[in-house]
Amino acid sequence: QGEVENLVQAVGFDRCTILRPAVLLCKRQESRPMEWITQQFLRVVALVFPTAYSVPVETVARAMVANVLQPGKGKVEVLENRAIHELGKA
């Protein structure tokens, strides 16, 4: 667990979901050539292993909305990349 995750949990919310996405696939306004190259490579990898190393930002957004609308699975829930993909499809 990261330090920020521990601090968020310490606040004492009734329910807290922490998302841990892999590399976010999105268009950026600023120029980051190496990131662009990495994203292009991961888009190809995602065709074979869709949940392994990347996730489109739209999938993360859908997962966040779906998570808010469903009953919680405990006080603190951590969603790794694969779970984000699954929830983002719902």
Side-chain angles (χ1 to χ4, degrees):
Q1 281 184 319
E3 185 177 333
V4 173
E5 290 178 8
N6 291 334
L7 292 171
V8 169
Q9 291 178 31
V11 171
F13 292 113
D14 291 337
R15 177 179 171 206
C16 174
T17 302
I18 298 169
L19 282 82
R20 294 183 185 156
V23 174
L24 296 172
L25 298 177
C26 62
K27 293 182 181 179
R28 295 199 178 260
Q29 292 180 348
E30 63 274 359
S31 176
R32 295 182 178 179
M34 289 307 296
E35 184 175 309
W36 181 86
I37 291 168
T38 302
Q39 284 190 4
Q40 300 314 306
F41 172 74
L42 289 175
R43 286 182 200 281
V44 174
V45 172
L47 295 173
V48 180
F49 304 105
T51 64
Y53 304 107
S54 62
V55 61
V57 292
E58 297 84 4
T59 302
V60 176
R62 285 193 302 271
M64 293 169 115
V65 171
N67 182 264
V68 168
L69 297 176
Q70 70 183 20
K73 297 177 182 173
K75 186 170 174 115
V76 177
E77 181 179 14
V78 177
L79 299 178
E80 300 289 347
N81 200 57
R82 180 178 299 276
I84 293 169
H85 272 275
E86 291 171 6
L87 193 55
K89 290 178 185 177

